[in-house]
Amino acid sequence: MSTTADPRLLGRAVRRVVYTKEAIAQRVQELGDEITAAYSDGELLVLGLLKGSFIFLSDLVRDIRRPLQVDFLVASSYGDGTESSGNVRLLYDPETELEGKHILLVEDIVDTGRTLSRLMDLLRARNPRSLEICALLHKHIATELRYPTRFLGFDAPNEFLVGYGLDHAENFRHLPYIASLQ
Ligand code: IMP
Ligand code: MG
């Protein structure tokens, strides 16, 4: 694929395509199978962390072959404005009851894991039946993530990635592949 000719790119070149549309589709289907097998009973609520997870989540839930519900979280970290303080505030809180349900928190990419750790603390306090993380990508440099990523798409290179939901300054989320920016 000639990415430099892609009209979606604002005329910018990408360094390389890291995961093709086909590779992503294949892996998402496998993740769907893993998740289907992992939840044999009970109510499953798939919680997408916006905005980054919106494309991944919409593909993933169609590959989970059991009853489930979908909701989203919008989180914001706040602090002194220059560096994340690690405090997390929910701008949108799921309306569904979490107690007694299997909760699967879906994230696009784990970098420092700071937001995710705080969110997991917050969700755990609502007494779900189980609480797990599903991430499409993991940079494995996370120093602050106190929870394992139970379901993982790919081990990501330590490069800035865009596409398939991932943005740079809100651009490039709609690329059907994942690319590394120059
Ligand atoms: P963390 O709290 O440091 O793990 O940050 C995770 C969030 O940072 C993700 O949900 C993304 O929004 C963003 N992020 C981290 N790495 C990348 C990247 O390579 N490309 C685009 N967004 C990223
Ligand atoms: Mg982002």
Side-chain angles (χ1 to χ4, degrees), residues 49-53 84 107-117 137 139 142 145 156-163 165-168 173 179:
L49 187 49
L50 289 177
K51 301 177 193 171
S53 74
S84 170
E107 169 72 310
D108 54 355
I109 184 166
V110 181
D111 189 355
T112 69
R114 184 178 290 162
T115 310
L116 211 46
S117 281
L137 302 159
K139 287 187 176 170
L145 187 56
N158 191 14
E159 297 169 34
F160 198 82
L161 303 175
V162 294
L166 295 156
D167 73 303
H168 176 256
R173 290 196 199 272

Side-chain angles (χ1 to χ4, degrees), residues 45-49 73 103-107 116 119-120 123 131-135:
L45 175 64
V46 181
L47 265 185
L49 187 49
L73 286 174
I103 308 298
L104 184 61
L105 184 57
V106 178
E107 169 72 310
L116 211 46
L119 271 182
M120 289 290 281
L123 295 174
L131 178 59
E132 300 289 356
I133 297 169
C134 174

Side-chain angles (χ1 to χ4, degrees), residues 5 9 13 24 55 73 93 95 108 115 137 156:
L9 291 172
I24 296 168
I55 293 179
L73 286 174
D93 203 346
E95 291 178 0
D108 54 355
T115 310
L137 302 159

Side-chain angles (χ1 to χ4, degrees), residues 12-79:
R12 281 182 75 164
V14 294
R15 194 193 309 174
R16 66 188 177 104
V17 173
V18 182
Y19 304 105
T20 63
K21 183 180 174 180
E22 293 73 24
I24 296 168
Q26 162 84 38
R27 189 66 194 118
V28 169
Q29 194 178 351
E30 289 167 5
L31 278 177
D33 291 343
E34 283 178 42
I35 292 166
T36 305
Y39 295 98
S40 54
D41 64 349
E43 289 182 78
L44 174 62
L45 175 64
V46 181
L47 265 185
L49 187 49
L50 289 177
K51 301 177 193 171
S53 74
F54 82 108
I55 293 179
F56 174 42
L57 180 135
S58 64
D59 282 343
L60 181 67
V61 290
R62 284 177 281 180
D63 281 321
I64 302 175
R65 293 179 315 284
R66 67 148 5 252
L68 59 77
Q69 295 182 338
V70 174
D71 210 331
F72 294 94
L73 286 174
V74 182
S76 159
S77 52
Y78 58 96

